[in-house]
Amino acid sequence: MIAPAINLQDRSIDHHTPPAADGQARDPAIWLANAAAFRAAPVSLAQLPESLQPWLMLEDSMTEAIARQFGQPPLVAVHYSGADSLRAFECDCLAGQTSERRGYARHISLNIDGRPVLLARSVTYLGNSIEPLLSRLQTTPLARVLFEDDQWQRTGAPLPLEICATLPGRACVWQDQRSGERLVVEEFFNFAAAHPSEGHPPGKHAP
């Protein structure tokens, strides 16, 4: 499925930052460097902006799609890579491959002109063969592994998510056909952080 070029002037894709209980604004990106602050919850597709729904259902490389949207390849910034507690929906996505609620998480942003247009969290269980793969990636896009190695297969439909009750996103489950181990890739759209540019709609290509 090819997502159409998005109108970045459309305010429906914008997110606002709601106040926390103490009256201070919550930063929906604070979890990138502070894994304990990660707060996301599954929602229905109908709860998310209609203009983003083709992106939420995109079957191809998000890195390449963003490059086409903005007319330049995004730069990967790694904010966190290490152990973290798994959230309940993440354990469900991993199909209970262990009884432990501890996992390995990698937090990155895809940046255009220094602005984070996509925030991502990838999680798996500690001690499996996917953990060292994630730790070695550094600034290499994960899509390069998932879309160039045909032993990686996406399973099921994307799970719509929201973070801070305002930043829309999705979770996709990938399975390594050699080991049967699973990886959950969560992506949150922050397109309002960047200015629109001319270019082609996102296409069906790996990065």
Side-chain angles (χ1 to χ4, degrees), residues 101-150:
R101 289 286 297 270
R102 295 288 290 170
Y104 189 90
R106 175 179 183 256
H107 295 177
I108 64 99
S109 59
L110 296 183
N111 299 281
I112 297 292
D113 296 330
R115 298 170 183 265
V117 297
L118 185 117
L119 318 178
R121 169 180 164 95
S122 300
V123 297
T124 192
Y125 283 118
L126 285 172
N128 67 13
S129 64
I130 302 175
E131 178 187 339
L133 182 152
L134 290 178
S135 67
R136 289 194 303 264
L137 280 175
Q138 299 184 14
T139 58
T140 300
L142 177 58
R144 192 163 296 171
V145 174
L146 300 179
F147 286 91
E148 293 183 2
D149 183 346
D150 61 9

Side-chain angles (χ1 to χ4, degrees), residues 30-51:
I30 193 172
W31 58 272
L32 281 173
N34 178 12
F38 180 71
R39 300 286 185 273
V43 296
S44 71
L45 187 61
Q47 290 177 257
L48 300 182
E50 184 176 354
S51 58

Side-chain angles (χ1 to χ4, degrees), residues 15-207:
H15 70 273
H16 64 277
T17 303
D22 59 5
Q24 298 298 311
R26 292 183 295 175
D27 180 358
I30 193 172
W31 58 272
L32 281 173
N34 178 12
F38 180 71
R39 300 286 185 273
V43 296
S44 71
L45 187 61
Q47 290 177 257
L48 300 182
E50 184 176 354
S51 58
L52 280 180
Q53 290 187 11
W55 287 83
L56 293 163
M57 303 307 294
L58 186 71
E59 296 176 357
D60 307 297
S61 167
M62 188 65 70
T63 305
E64 178 66 18
I66 286 176
R68 288 179 175 270
Q69 170 66 43
F70 294 98
Q72 60 180 289
L75 296 179
V76 177
V78 181
H79 302 272
Y80 179 80
S81 186
D84 187 30
S85 297
L86 297 174
R87 283 41 177 186
F89 76 88
E90 293 172 335
C91 291
D92 290 342
C93 289
L94 290 169
Q97 292 184 343
T98 176
S99 60
E100 297 293 326
R101 289 286 297 270
R102 295 288 290 170
Y104 189 90
R106 175 179 183 256
H107 295 177
I108 64 99
S109 59
L110 296 183
N111 299 281
I112 297 292
D113 296 330
R115 298 170 183 265
V117 297
L118 185 117
L119 318 178
R121 169 180 164 95
S122 300
V123 297
T124 192
Y125 283 118
L126 285 172
N128 67 13
S129 64
I130 302 175
E131 178 187 339
L133 182 152
L134 290 178
S135 67
R136 289 194 303 264
L137 280 175
Q138 299 184 14
T139 58
T140 300
L142 177 58
R144 192 163 296 171
V145 174
L146 300 179
F147 286 91
E148 293 183 2
D149 183 346
D150 61 9
Q151 292 300 308
W152 281 100
Q153 299 292 324
R154 205 171 82 173
T155 65
L159 175 67
L161 300 173
E162 270 191 334
I163 197 165
C164 286
T166 57
L167 197 62
R170 69 176 191 172
C172 294
V173 179
W174 290 81
Q175 186 162 4
D176 184 342
Q177 301 303 300
R178 291 158 294 209
S179 66
E181 295 167 341
R182 289 188 169 195
L183 170 69
V184 182
V185 180
E186 301 161 48
E187 298 157 320
F188 299 92
F189 302 98
N190 195 34
F191 292 153
H195 297 293
S197 64
E198 298 298 326
H200 300 288
K204 288 192 172 185
H205 303 283

